[in-house]
């Protein structure tokens, strides 16, 4: 019974890890588009759709904090059994 529980846990972590890899790839793609937009336009976009990103996974959140700053947050699933692991990038390219 213990072996079956452990195998289920390992499979669960494996599935979460695969989802996290996809989330990471998506986050990197969006961050690249976001950084390019800010550099080229010298302004922080109101939303990710302004930079050409339409299908944003629920694990990724973008917020324009001010005219010169934004928050870009990513939540990964693999660590959710312990503490949710979130990465937060704060952008302030317009100082």
């Amino acid at each position: 019974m213990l072996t079956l529980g452990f195998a289920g846990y390992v499979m669960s972590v494996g599935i979460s890890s695969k989802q996290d890899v996809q989330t990471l790839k998506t986050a990197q793609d969006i961050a690249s588009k976001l950084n390019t937009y800010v550099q080229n336009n010298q302004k922080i976009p109101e939303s990710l759709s302004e930079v050409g990103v339409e299908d944003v996974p629920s694990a990724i959140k973008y917020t324009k904090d001010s005219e010169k700053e934004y928050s870009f947050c990513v939540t990964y699933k693999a660590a959710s059994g312990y503490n949710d692991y979130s990465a937060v990038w704060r952008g302030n390219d317009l100082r």
Side-chain angles (χ1 to χ4, degrees):
M1 189 71 142
L2 180 59
T3 304
L4 182 58
F6 182 70
Y9 170 76
V10 170
M11 288 176 56
S12 168
V13 170
I15 291 169
S16 293
S17 295
K18 287 179 184 178
Q19 290 173 336
D20 285 349
V21 168
Q22 184 58 46
T23 298
L24 176 62
K25 288 178 183 179
T26 301
Q28 289 172 331
D29 182 50
I30 293 171
S32 176
K33 289 177 181 179
L34 184 57
N35 289 331
T36 299
Y37 178 92
V38 171
Q39 264 188 330
N40 291 343
N41 296 286
Q42 291 299 298
K43 71 175 192 166
I44 303 295
E46 295 295 326
S47 67
L48 291 176
S49 62
E50 196 172 326
V51 302
V53 178
E54 296 299 330
D55 284 334
V56 181
S58 61
I60 298 174
K61 303 288 183 220
Y62 169 81
T63 306
K64 179 179 177 180
D65 297 326
S66 71
E67 293 302 314
K68 295 185 178 189
E69 293 184 331
Y70 64 85
S71 298
F72 183 78
C73 306
V74 182
T75 301
Y76 296 95
K77 292 183 179 270
S80 64
Y82 304 102
N83 294 313
D84 282 343
Y85 178 75
S86 296
V88 177
W89 291 290
R90 296 204 42 91
N92 54 0
D93 293 345
L94 297 177
R95 285 192 211 176

